[in-house]
Amino acid sequence: MDNGGLILLVFLAFLFVWGLNRVRRIFRLGPLAYAGVMITFVIVMLALYTQTQR
């Protein structure tokens, strides 16, 4: 099994979190909005990852 895509996915997740923290400070998002964005990101990334594994 090739784990290259999974490693890239983890890297993109860390990059997304870093960028989201900067945006959150600018727009003053609350913890509920932050959690919603993170859950949406995880669901989309898992959907994309499973599509590439077929």
Side-chain angles (χ1 to χ4, degrees):
M1 180 176 186
D2 182 27
N3 289 332
L6 191 59
I7 293 169
L8 179 63
L9 192 65
V10 170
F11 173 73
L12 286 175
F14 280 120
L15 190 64
F16 180 76
V17 169
W18 176 77
L20 185 59
N21 277 331
R22 289 188 166 270
V23 170
R24 188 176 72 138
R25 287 188 198 127
I26 293 170
F27 290 119
R28 302 185 194 276
L29 295 175
L32 189 61
Y34 184 75
V37 170
M38 286 307 295
I39 290 170
T40 304
F41 176 77
V42 168
I43 290 171
V44 169
M45 284 297 126
L46 284 174
L48 288 174
Y49 180 71
T50 55
Q51 287 294 318
T52 59
Q53 292 303 312
R54 290 186 181 181

